[in-house]
Amino acid sequence: MPAHIMLSYQWDDQPLVKRIHDRLIEHGLPVWMDIEGGVTGNINDAMAAGVEEAAVICPIMTPAYQASRNCKRELSYADSREVLTVPVMLAQDWEASEWLGLVTAGLLWVDFRNAETDDEHFESCVQSLQAEIMYNAGHLLVVPEVPEDVTGDEPEPRERRPPKRKTGRRFLHAQSMLYIRESGGETMDPDSDLRGKVELHEEPGERGSWEEQKGIGCKYFRNVATGGYLGYLHGEDDASSQPSEDCLNTTGSPKRKECVFTKTGSHQSEDHEYTTALLEESGDRVYTTDSPVETERWLLLADQMDQSCKRAVIIKNKHTGRFLAAQGGRFVGLTSYTEDCKWFLE
């Protein structure tokens, strides 16, 4: 059986989940749902098979889902098998906790909180879900295709892959409508001291696409065009960290691999190499570097304040604890959420 999308839900939400199932099927995606032929024979065996043959599972998250023993068994089994998970949020003013919070921690959920307000809103939510599924698991899904213009007996379905998934994410600032992209002013040569500059621009271009890589309790964003990892340093952190004298080459600029930096008088370990090199004199710095360390660790979370039904997210630097925002066409790091912290995924 081809790898499918499994919809995991609590029974009270069946009407909405059935609508989601039908729309995804219409879009040509293979979807498993218990009431759509997913359960035959023993229910436990059927649910286990649904998980085992899934490329991705979508838990439809509500307080009732979290309280359900069957939903817990289903999603926990999928998690133990490392099935990719794309959560869907239905509940207003609620966050997953306990076992469900543990399984979905750090995952970007798709916002269906207002999906039933009107058909147009529902369609936008489905499109967001499809985009997130394709980004995470599009390379694993296989759907049947019946050739067109065939005469005679009904042909046997032949397999094809869905439209090619995007290899990277694009981040569009919700207020300024500017994209995060590497400027191209500096090259990412492994033997170079330089790091790429990152800017806000009206067009994403080829340097505005970022591949998401999973770290331990974080994400890294690697530029698809240049290979540079997105990083951030706050102005105060920049000023408090300076390279030691033995880190400088004959031109006075920081060395690369051999450099160890001092901060408030103490030496840092070598895995923190050159993270404070080539800083701007003041202000926050967003940049790319060829190997990720502390300042290149990020959290990507759904924007719970957004009601637009778009793919609204917040980007938080794990090292500094600041939200990546934009003000006046420049990057800033904020300690608390404002509308300037909102980005749309494309």
Side-chain angles (χ1 to χ4, degrees):
M1 180 178 179
H4 57 231
I5 302 159
M6 181 175 185
L7 300 179
S8 175
Y9 66 99
Q10 198 273 339
W11 197 257
D12 293 344
D13 299 311
Q14 186 181 102
L16 178 62
V17 177
K18 177 64 167 60
R19 288 184 66 194
I20 295 172
H21 167 274
D22 292 348
R23 292 301 291 127
L24 293 178
I25 289 290
E26 289 175 13
H27 291 174
L29 296 174
V31 188
W32 189 100
M33 185 178 179
D34 54 358
I35 64 169
E36 290 296 318
V39 174
T40 57
N42 182 278
I43 186 171
N44 291 326
D45 290 343
M47 299 303 285
V51 171
E52 291 164 3
E53 296 166 355
V56 59
I57 186 169
C58 297
I60 314 299
M61 299 196 301
T62 63
Y65 184 93
Q66 182 171 305
S68 169
R69 292 181 60 185
N70 287 336
C71 294
K72 179 179 180 179
R73 287 194 301 170
E74 193 170 280
L75 188 58
S76 297
Y77 183 48
D79 183 58
S80 71
R81 294 182 61 85
E82 299 184 347
V83 177
L84 295 172
T85 302
V86 176
V88 170
M89 177 61 74
L90 288 192
Q92 297 277 4
D93 304 319
W94 175 80
E95 292 185 12
S97 59
E98 301 174 359
W99 70 269
L100 183 57
L102 180 63
V103 173
T104 60
L107 297 180
L108 181 64
W109 47 258
V110 179
D111 190 358
F112 268 73
R113 291 174 297 175
N114 297 307
E116 295 182 286
T117 56
D118 60 66
D119 290 341
E120 184 177 351
H121 200 122
F122 175 78
E123 279 301 315
S124 295
C125 294
V126 171
Q127 289 174 12
S128 294
L129 177 59
Q130 179 176 325
E132 195 62 23
I133 289 172
M134 292 302 296
Y135 179 80
N136 286 277
H139 59 301
L140 301 175
L141 300 173
V142 179
V143 298
E145 177 188 41
V146 177
E148 298 180 357
D149 300 326
V150 178
T151 59
D153 296 335
E154 183 177 346
E156 293 185 2
R158 58 186 173 88
E159 290 187 347
R160 69 167 176 85
R161 291 196 176 274
K164 185 178 180 181
R165 68 174 185 141
K166 293 182 179 179
T167 56
R169 298 189 185 275
R170 291 177 174 176
F171 300 104
L172 176 65
H173 190 240
Q175 299 298 309
S176 65
M177 302 305 288
L178 299 174
Y179 291 90
I180 300 175
R181 83 173 193 185
E182 190 175 328
S183 68
E186 299 170 357
T187 58
M188 292 307 306
D189 180 23
D191 297 322
S192 171
D193 294 336
L194 299 179
R195 292 184 293 182
K197 292 181 179 180
V198 176
E199 63 183 357
L200 291 165
H201 200 276
E202 294 177 353
E203 299 292 337
E206 63 177 5
R207 296 173 182 264
S209 186
W210 303 87
E211 176 191 15
E212 183 179 306
Q213 296 183 354
K214 185 177 180 180
I216 300 176
C218 68
K219 300 179 186 296
Y220 299 105
F221 295 109
R222 182 175 180 269
N223 192 278
V224 173
T226 69
Y229 289 89
L230 185 69
Y232 166 78
L233 282 169
H234 180 55
E236 294 178 0
D237 296 333
D238 292 356
S240 64
S241 299
Q242 298 295 333
S244 56
E245 290 184 2
D246 59 352
C247 293
L248 302 180
N249 60 28
T250 56
T251 64
S253 61
K255 294 179 183 177
R256 182 147 168 70
K257 299 297 185 182
E258 303 80 10
C259 190
V260 179
F261 292 90
T262 60
K263 184 170 183 178
T264 62
S266 61
H267 283 276
Q268 303 294 305
S269 62
E270 290 192 8
D271 65 354
H272 191 61
E273 62 190 291
Y274 73 93
T275 58
T276 54
L278 299 173
L279 302 177
E280 295 177 344
E281 293 182 0
S282 62
D284 295 347
R285 176 166 168 87
V286 181
Y287 58 88
T288 55
T289 183
D290 66 320
S291 56
V293 288
E294 288 92 339
T295 50
E296 288 79 57
R297 296 173 181 171
W298 299 92
L299 299 175
L300 181 65
L301 305 169
D303 185 348
Q304 299 188 42
M305 304 299 292
D306 182 72
Q307 299 292 323
S308 69
C309 79
K310 296 182 179 180
R311 302 176 71 200
V313 297
I314 54 178
I315 310 170
K316 189 174 184 179
N317 185 264
K318 191 170 183 181
H319 178 68
T320 63
R322 291 177 176 266
F323 298 103
L324 184 63
Q327 295 176 344
R330 298 188 62 180
F331 290 110
V332 294
L334 301 181
T335 57
S336 58
Y337 174 88
T338 72
E339 287 290 304
D340 292 326
C341 302
K342 182 185 297 186
W343 303 86
F344 294 136
L345 287 181
E346 289 191 350

